[in-house]
Amino acid sequence: MSLTVPDHDHMQAERPTAPAARGASTGETMPPRLTAFVVAVIVVGAAVLAHSATVIGQSPFSLALILLAVLTIASGRFAIKVPGRPATVSVSEVFVFASMLVYGPAAATLTVAIDGVWVSLTQKNRRLYRTLFNITEPAISTWAAAY
């Protein structure tokens, strides 16, 4: 989709759209409000991840935390159907909440971000904005829920 503005001869001329809003391989363009939302989520998510990395960096190393993170990522591919509802819950949610309760918000936040990387790597139609969104959005949600 591109914007059109009238020129002096009352004809339609296309105004080029920002390259950041275009899809990487298809040339598709996101609406400006959607682009602003995606950029805002990525920026806030980057701040949340930086905060979480700082907190984890000050914590002692824990092999149990690494194991919990691996279980979270491995179980993320399995879902349980909610009876009577058209919804599913990922098995990994159990491990996310466990790491949140045992190791704090930073551990759970970084774990879901790593899971977002894994999910993005398994997608066929990868786009940078989608990958960054898939990493930062769950991080924001987890961080906000934990605090």
Side-chain angles (χ1 to χ4, degrees):
M1 174 164 70
S2 61
L3 299 173
T4 57
V5 291
D7 63 7
H8 295 295
D9 297 327
H10 302 293
M11 298 181 72
Q12 298 293 320
E14 289 190 6
R15 178 186 299 171
T17 55
R22 288 191 198 118
S25 61
T26 62
E28 71 184 38
T29 304
M30 293 191 304
R33 287 183 180 167
L34 179 58
T35 301
F37 174 74
V38 169
V39 169
V41 167
I42 292 169
V43 169
V44 171
V48 164
L49 289 171
H51 174 265
S52 296
T54 302
V55 170
I56 285 292
Q58 298 170 353
S59 304
F61 177 78
S62 171
L63 189 58
L65 173 58
I66 301 298
L67 178 63
L68 199 52
V70 169
L71 285 171
T72 302
I73 294 164
S75 65
R77 310 303 153 251
F78 304 104
I80 300 170
K81 184 170 176 358
V82 178
R85 301 277 182 208
T88 59
V89 176
S90 174
V91 174
S92 68
E93 297 301 321
V94 172
F95 299 114
V96 170
F97 284 108
S99 66
M100 191 183 303
L101 293 170
V102 175
Y103 296 102
T109 301
L110 291 174
T111 300
V112 298
I114 293 168
D115 187 52
V117 170
W118 180 252
V119 166
S120 292
L121 289 176
T122 60
Q123 289 179 341
K124 291 182 183 191
N125 241 348
R126 277 184 248 151
R127 294 188 180 98
L128 180 60
Y129 73 89
R130 188 177 291 166
T131 299
L132 294 174
F133 188 88
N134 286 343
I135 295 167
T136 56
E137 185 279 324
I140 293 168
S141 299
T142 303
W143 188 83
Y147 283 103

